[in-house]
Amino acid sequence: FMVDNRLYLCLFDPNGAIIGYQGALHRNLSTQSKVEPASSVHVMQTAIGNLFLCVDTDIYYPELLRLAKLKGADLVVSSQYIHSYDFKPKRITTGIWSAAQQNGLFVVGCSNAFSAVAAPWEITPDGTGFLVQPEHSQHLFCKLFFHKLERSAMGGSLAEKLNPVFCKRYSPIISQK
């Protein structure tokens, strides 16, 4: 939805109360002149895990997913509209699949062109990096075992794996952004 020229995703609880929201930090070509980018990343604590809502083309910006992971996200829900002339299978691998592999996250991708659930390849039964293979239209159902994320190469404390000195020095600043 749009508010004040910003594109948002919103998460509701079963009673309709807002749990949290996230604005698009990047704009696609068709909305550049109409939409203002958001300026912060919100990771929401939910009953199933720490969730980041990834709006539209933000899924193609690895630094954004890395920041969500550093802020504690275990699960990303990505939603976007893809024009039929612009959809190519590589969009799936450069979006949700890459985010899952690079950050040790579960990533649910929902769009008008496909839906799928990606995870680190090490914890998927067939080693493909998908718990639910990309299909044009389907209901998504799978079990997410968050404790298995620790087994992936990028699971656990990502910041400490990437740069422990940086993490120790700047983690208070990162957690505020």
Side-chain angles (χ1 to χ4, degrees), residues 45-106:
Q45 293 181 351
T46 71
I48 61 169
N50 295 329
L51 178 95
F52 173 65
L53 296 173
C54 193
V55 186
D56 199 34
T57 58
D58 286 348
I59 194 69
Y60 304 113
Y61 292 85
E63 67 277 12
L64 177 58
L65 282 294
R66 183 64 46 92
L67 181 58
K69 171 70 175 188
L70 289 168
K71 292 183 96 173
D74 304 306
L75 172 63
V76 173
V77 175
S78 172
S79 177
Q80 72 179 133
Y81 177 82
I82 303 172
H83 290 284
S84 59
Y85 63 81
D86 201 23
F87 178 73
K88 297 177 179 44
K90 283 186 180 181
R91 280 203 174 254
I92 298 168
T93 55
T94 59
I96 67 166
W97 188 87
S98 290
Q101 306 319 307
Q102 294 172 0
N103 297 295
L105 298 163
F106 292 116

Side-chain angles (χ1 to χ4, degrees), residues 12-17:
F12 296 93
D13 73 12
N15 298 317

Side-chain angles (χ1 to χ4, degrees), residues 116-135:
V117 179
W121 69 269
E122 302 98 326
I123 65 170
T124 58
D126 59 2
T128 63
F130 286 105
L131 293 172
V132 177
Q133 292 290 328
E135 294 290 335

Side-chain angles (χ1 to χ4, degrees), residues 5-75:
N5 294 327
R6 287 199 171 122
L7 180 62
Y8 288 94
L9 283 179
C10 192
L11 182 64
F12 296 93
D13 73 12
N15 298 317
I18 296 174
I19 294 174
Y21 61 89
Q22 176 64 50
L25 288 127
H26 300 90
R27 301 168 293 181
N28 65 39
L29 292 176
S30 65
T31 63
Q32 276 188 336
S33 64
K34 304 172 206 163
V35 176
E36 294 295 320
S39 59
S40 60
V41 171
H42 303 282
V43 174
M44 294 159 247
Q45 293 181 351
T46 71
I48 61 169
N50 295 329
L51 178 95
F52 173 65
L53 296 173
C54 193
V55 186
D56 199 34
T57 58
D58 286 348
I59 194 69
Y60 304 113
Y61 292 85
E63 67 277 12
L64 177 58
L65 282 294
R66 183 64 46 92
L67 181 58
K69 171 70 175 188
L70 289 168
K71 292 183 96 173
D74 304 306
L75 172 63

